[in-house]
Amino acid sequence: MSIVVRTLSEQVFEIIRERVITGMLPRNVPIRQDALANELGVSKIPLREALARLEQEGLLTSQANRGYFVRPMSTAEAEELFELRLLLEPPAAALGAANADENDRAATLEAFEALDSAASNNLASVASCNRTFHTALVRPSGRVLTTQLVERLTVLSERYVIAHLKPAGREHRAHLEHRDLLDAWLAGDGATVERLLAAHIQATLDDLRAEFGTEPAG
């Protein structure tokens, strides 16, 4: 049995990250650090550590003498993120399916089940579970740099995934697409995995294009 001990900074990081991803923090005003620290019952030290880490993840931006702001979403960023994912993920997941051992299959099935369970709880959990599932498909490829890049891209995609899933019906469609993808991956059918994953990512991008139009999303 392993015991995972999270530092106070990590706990604060997770709370603020969830608020950013779900849109609870306003995007056009500086984050009120005093009020947030008081609300969370922490000092400014773990709060600043968490904010700095969120800036490194690309969710926040800082301005001299003004503090931290939620980084705005944009159509241009969505295009770039999902086009990069289209280039990297499908072939890497196909290779992952070919190379996966029993432990890899068990971990990916567990990630899918966690994602399925999170769908009935809250969108922030869905976003992080979605990232874990997509990364699990790629990790057995043995391409460490590609896996790291995919994980980074899925982190940056999370707010867009949330925006994509909000309209009624899309969550069910995503579940079915993930289920078909998982079945092909567990069967080691790399060609089908590559085709299904490319279609899945492209469909999300198409939905975002329709949703955001030509105006910034944030």
Side-chain angles (χ1 to χ4, degrees), residues 56-109:
Q56 290 177 339
E57 284 213 351
L59 292 175
L60 300 182
T61 184
S62 61
Q63 297 179 17
N65 302 318
R66 296 196 66 197
Y68 288 93
F69 294 76
V70 175
R71 191 163 175 263
M73 297 166 68
S74 70
T75 306
E77 182 177 68
E79 292 275 355
E80 186 173 6
L81 283 171
F82 285 88
E83 286 174 5
L84 285 169
R85 289 183 62 183
L86 276 169
L87 288 172
L88 288 173
E89 277 190 61
L95 185 58
N99 292 346
D101 59 22
E102 287 307 310
N103 289 333
D104 295 323
R105 294 187 185 95
T108 303
L109 180 58

Side-chain angles (χ1 to χ4, degrees), residues 23-129:
M24 290 175 63
L25 283 178
R27 298 189 178 114
N28 299 318
V29 296
I31 293 174
R32 298 176 57 210
Q33 294 186 39
D34 288 336
L36 190 54
N38 287 335
E39 179 191 346
L40 299 177
V42 299
S43 70
K44 282 191 175 182
I45 294 174
L47 177 61
R48 285 171 178 162
E49 289 174 350
L51 294 174
R53 185 176 165 193
L54 286 162
E55 183 177 24
Q56 290 177 339
E57 284 213 351
L59 292 175
L60 300 182
T61 184
S62 61
Q63 297 179 17
N65 302 318
R66 296 196 66 197
Y68 288 93
F69 294 76
V70 175
R71 191 163 175 263
M73 297 166 68
S74 70
T75 306
E77 182 177 68
E79 292 275 355
E80 186 173 6
L81 283 171
F82 285 88
E83 286 174 5
L84 285 169
R85 289 183 62 183
L86 276 169
L87 288 172
L88 288 173
E89 277 190 61
L95 185 58
N99 292 346
D101 59 22
E102 287 307 310
N103 289 333
D104 295 323
R105 294 187 185 95
T108 303
L109 180 58
E110 182 179 348
F112 171 80
E113 290 172 346
L115 173 57
D116 204 32
S117 176
S120 60
N121 296 323
N122 64 73
L123 284 175
S125 294
V126 169
S128 61
C129 289

Side-chain angles (χ1 to χ4, degrees), residues 5-17 40 42-54:
V5 179
R6 295 192 304 163
T7 66
L8 186 57
S9 174
E10 288 173 331
Q11 294 176 51
V12 173
F13 168 82
E14 291 293 342
I15 293 170
I16 301 175
R17 186 174 179 278
L40 299 177
V42 299
S43 70
K44 282 191 175 182
I45 294 174
L47 177 61
R48 285 171 178 162
E49 289 174 350
L51 294 174
R53 185 176 165 193
L54 286 162

